[in-house]
Structures are given as C-alpha cells and as structure tokens.
Amino acid sequence: MAISSITPTAAGLRALSHPTRLKMLMLLRLEGPATATGLAQELKLNTGATSYHLRQLAEHGFIEEDAERGDARDRWWRAAHQSTRAGLRFGDPDDAESAESYLQSVAMMYTEALMQAVAERRYLPLPWQEATTTSDWHLRLTPQRAEQLTDALAALIESWSEQEDAEGTEGAADFVVNLNAFPRPGTVVLDGSPA
C-alpha cells in the first residue's frame, strides 16, 4: 500500500512549525485517532490549548475529524495523511522564514527522539541493538546528484513500508528511519558555488 502524504503550503508549514502541533500530528499518525482530552493528557497540556492546536492542524489539512468515533460530547481526530513531504522552495522571504521555522521544529523533534533512542539502546534485546545505527557518510556531490541520492533513498525506504511486517508479526516493532541530507554547513557560499 502506498503511503499517503501531504505537501503543505507556506501557510501550512507556518501552522506545523509549532512543536506541539508536530507532536500531536506524530501521535495521531503513530497511535491512531484521539480526542483533545487524550492528547492533552499525553502532552501534559490543558484541553483548551490542545483544541486550539487541533483546529489549526485541521484548517491546513493535516488532520480531520473521525466522525465514526465521535459523539456530541467527544470529538475524535485522526491524521489525514501518513507523511508530510515539505516542499521548501519559496521565493517570498516570509514563506522562506516559515519553512526555516518548520525545519527548526523538525530538527528539535528528531534530536529529542534520537536522544531517547540512545538512552534506551542498551536495554533493547540484542537483535534490536544490532539493527540500530547512527551512521553517517560525507560525500562530494553536485546539487543534481545530491537530489538524485535523496530521491533514491526515499524511494527505497518507501518500498520497505510497502512490505512492512504486519501488525501482530512476532518480534516486529515500529522502526524509525530519519533521512537528513544536506550540504555540510559552512562549505557552500550563498551564491551556490563551492566554498
């Protein structure tokens, strides 16, 4: 099954750049539908703030009401897509700032998750310790080849999601793959020519 994704507008990125909203979206994608009250408890927020953030996510198409679960008192929400593919090429300075703010929030979430994974690693069963990596490679590429590489890696990861181990498969667990690919900071000047 193909992964459904959303490519947000600059306004959508602005809405998603709030760390709490990113966490809510992640929880709805990973844990399934939830109410504002349930998310508030999970994230240690008040329900008013949680409801506000949920409305912002819904306004930009990231989540939707789960009418099958709701009633007049409890409103359930679910993720509208499995993935966010951020198109980050904006000519307008305000839109570029929204993209940068979004990326800062994503980097912070990735860092938090990686630090938690490192803290838990030694307690994992040996097969999971052996399946875990924090490897890095430094390559010298043109922008075109770098884009080809990131596209190929994304396609490979997505092909694995199509073959994922079914719920209930013995030994299977949620496995996180973060793809971070960028020019080494300080090595490319602003006009795009090598430093």
Side-chain angles (χ1 to χ4, degrees):
M1 177 177 75
I3 293 178
S4 65
S5 66
I6 182 172
T7 301
T9 63
L13 284 179
R14 236 182 330 276
L16 201 53
S17 67
H18 195 290
T20 298
R21 291 182 200 143
L22 269 177
K23 288 178 184 175
M24 285 180 176
L25 180 57
M26 179 189 69
L27 285 171
L28 290 172
R29 284 180 176 162
L30 297 176
E31 305 295 329
T35 62
T37 303
L39 287 169
Q41 291 171 345
E42 176 85 19
L43 297 170
K44 297 176 179 46
L45 299 170
N46 68 56
T47 54
T50 304
S51 293
Y52 170 76
H53 289 306
L54 287 168
R55 285 191 305 274
Q56 292 297 307
L57 288 170
E59 181 180 323
H60 295 282
F62 295 107
I63 66 170
E64 59 194 11
E65 190 170 350
D66 188 350
E68 295 174 11
R69 295 178 189 260
D71 59 29
R73 205 164 86 50
D74 283 324
R75 196 171 181 188
W76 285 76
W77 296 94
R78 66 178 171 219
H81 307 89
Q82 296 165 297
S83 173
T84 302
R85 304 276 315 239
L88 302 172
R89 296 182 186 128
F90 297 109
D92 180 86
D94 288 339
D95 292 347
E97 191 172 312
S98 296
E100 186 175 327
S101 180
Y102 165 76
L103 288 173
Q104 291 285 343
S105 294
V106 168
M108 183 179 73
M109 282 191 55
Y110 285 177
T111 300
E112 288 175 4
L114 180 58
M115 290 178 70
Q116 184 176 354
V118 167
E120 294 175 2
R121 185 182 181 284
R122 69 177 168 158
Y123 303 108
L124 293 173
L126 187 58
W128 280 116
Q129 287 184 33
E130 292 171 347
T132 302
T133 183
T134 55
S135 303
D136 66 335
W137 292 263
H138 292 256
L139 310 173
R140 187 157 182 84
L141 302 172
T142 64
Q144 295 79 18
R145 295 222 337 120
E147 186 174 10
Q148 290 172 352
L149 175 61
T150 55
D151 288 348
L153 291 170
L156 177 64
I157 293 165
E158 288 176 5
S159 75
W160 275 78
S161 71
E162 294 169 4
Q163 309 164 28
E164 65 187 25
D165 296 322
E167 193 74 33
T169 301
E170 186 177 338
D174 290 341
F175 192 72
V176 177
V177 178
N178 289 329
L179 177 56
N180 304 298
F182 48 86
R184 185 166 53 91
T187 63
V188 177
V189 294
L190 293 180
D191 71 1
S193 60

